[in-house]
Amino acid sequence: MLETTHFIDIDDISESELDRVLSRAAAIKAGDDETRLPRTTMAMLFEKPSTRTRVSFETGMTQLGGHALFLGPEDIQLGHGEPLCDTARVLGRYGDVIMARLFDHEDLLEIAEYSTAPVINGLTDDAHPCQTLADLLTIREHVGSFEEVQAAWVGDGNNVGQSFVLGCAMAGIDLTVATPPEYAMDDEVMERAADLGQAPTVTTDPEEAIDGADVVYTDVWISMGQEDQRNEKLEAFDGFQLNEDLLDGSDAQVMHCLPAHRGEEITGDVLEGEQSLVWVQAENRLHAQKGLIVELLEE
């Protein structure tokens, strides 16, 4: 069982607990750990739609012997029809764990404050720690020991990137971040990474970032809710696309959390190419989250 009650940010757990979650996930994936959580219910709150988050959590709970209840925008009006604190109090009494995929990170913090059940961050505008668990599991499986891995983040300093920065710091991965200056990682996140002992190298040059990298990671430039910024972002990210020209001469394996906008942040050839880990990475959402749920709930 983890020391933390909730999993809101990747650094809510310690480095040793991170290793434990990843080891548990790997054992579950390999069929060496058959832990079950019968009669366990997860309430899944969705403000943002998602393929991987819903399917991986719902499938994971079923495979663990429990049940997941989907509550979408039409099923529950978070903070509108009822205060968030009241929703959290009730759901915490009905279920054993709450997973929430929201826009505002502060809303998730309020749910965690009032819920007596553990709360898992399925994504907010600030962080996506469950994705980082899957990312680290993928790197450990297919790239190598964390201390020997050189990684690069190329693109937007968004929620996925910020959680990845913290996860790499915790794991001891040598990370270089390449973003346009106006779309850099949040300063507070970089300070937290430094406090964890492994602040990333920062550049605005994608070629510099991927030089010598074992793995290169990108995500969409225009996230959900940012459609009105499309033209200015496409202009700002010129030269940051993961394509065959940028990766020419590099044997780095490629990661993307999906969904991908082919032809924008990544080309179809790279996404489908031999260096792509994207589909393994997507599968590992299921296994990493099962490892997390077991470690959170098992007594």
Side-chain angles (χ1 to χ4, degrees):
M1 195 168 186
L2 302 179
E3 289 186 11
T4 183
T5 301
H6 308 298
F7 186 68
I8 307 301
D9 288 294
I10 188 69
D11 52 342
D12 283 345
I13 59 177
S14 66
E15 288 89 343
S16 61
E17 287 176 325
L18 173 62
D19 181 71
R20 202 165 83 219
V21 169
L22 295 177
S23 296
R24 193 69 175 259
I28 290 172
K29 181 177 181 179
D32 297 329
D33 186 323
E34 297 183 357
T35 300
R36 295 294 179 266
L37 300 172
R39 299 178 63 83
T40 300
T41 298
M42 170 182 283
M44 303 192 302
L45 310 183
F46 281 83
E47 279 188 328
K48 288 186 174 185
S50 171
T51 300
R52 278 150 295 280
T53 298
R54 177 176 179 178
V55 175
S56 59
F57 271 108
E58 193 164 334
T59 300
M61 285 300 296
T62 299
Q63 292 177 353
L64 290 171
H67 172 67
L69 178 65
F70 175 81
L71 298 168
E74 296 181 357
D75 302 306
I76 185 169
Q77 295 181 353
L78 289 176
H80 302 294
E82 179 179 61
L84 284 172
C85 58
D86 293 358
T87 300
R89 287 186 180 107
V90 172
L91 292 179
R93 290 167 182 260
Y94 285 156
D96 302 282
V97 60
I98 297 171
M99 187 282 295
R101 182 178 173 90
L102 311 177
F103 286 97
D104 192 339
H105 194 78
E106 294 300 317
D107 287 348
L108 186 66
L109 293 176
E110 184 173 351
I111 291 172
E113 179 181 356
Y114 289 96
S115 172
T116 54
V119 175
I120 295 173
N121 183 356
L123 178 142
T124 65
D125 285 345
D126 288 1
H128 198 354
C130 288
Q131 180 64 55
T132 299
L133 291 179
D135 299 338
L136 295 176
L137 180 61
T138 303
I139 290 172
R140 195 164 80 166
E141 284 179 342
H142 293 273
V143 184
S145 172
F146 291 148
E147 293 79 8
E148 300 172 0
V149 171
Q150 184 172 335
W153 175 272
V154 176
D156 193 13
N158 62 11
N159 48 3
V160 175
Q162 292 185 159
S163 288
F164 188 65
V165 164
L166 296 172
C168 285
M170 294 174 67
I173 292 174
D174 183 6
L175 174 65
T176 300
V177 171
T179 68
E182 62 270 41
Y183 295 105
M185 302 289 176
D186 188 272
D187 288 342
E188 188 264 344
V189 169
M190 302 298 271
E191 292 170 4
R192 282 159 62 192
D195 290 341
L196 291 166
Q198 193 81 13
T201 301
V202 177
T203 180
T204 58
D205 183 351
E207 291 187 3
E208 179 183 342
I210 70 170
D211 184 28
D214 301 297
V215 58
V216 179
Y217 196 168
T218 194
D219 189 15
V220 295
W221 297 335
I222 299 100
S223 298
M224 193 179 305
Q226 297 180 342
E227 289 78 11
D228 60 336
Q229 303 174 36
R230 179 176 180 79
N231 291 336
E232 64 185 81
K233 278 203 154 190
L234 289 178
E235 182 178 352
F237 286 97
D238 183 39
F240 282 80
Q241 183 187 74
L242 290 194
N243 54 40
E244 291 183 344
D245 288 340
L246 183 62
L247 295 171
D248 184 37
S250 172
D251 58 1
Q253 300 193 71
V254 174
M255 297 174 66
H256 192 304
C257 64
L258 299 176
H261 295 168
R262 301 179 189 220
E264 291 185 6
E265 76 280 355
I266 192 169
T267 62
D269 289 343
V270 170
L271 193 69
E272 301 285 358
E274 294 182 357
Q275 292 169 239
S276 175
L277 289 176
V278 173
W279 316 114
V280 175
Q281 186 185 0
E283 178 190 342
N284 278 342
R285 284 289 302 278
L286 170 66
H287 308 300
Q289 289 160 188
K290 286 166 70 176
L292 172 66
I293 293 165
V294 169
E295 289 291 336
L296 270 176
L297 298 184
E298 188 181 47
E299 297 182 0

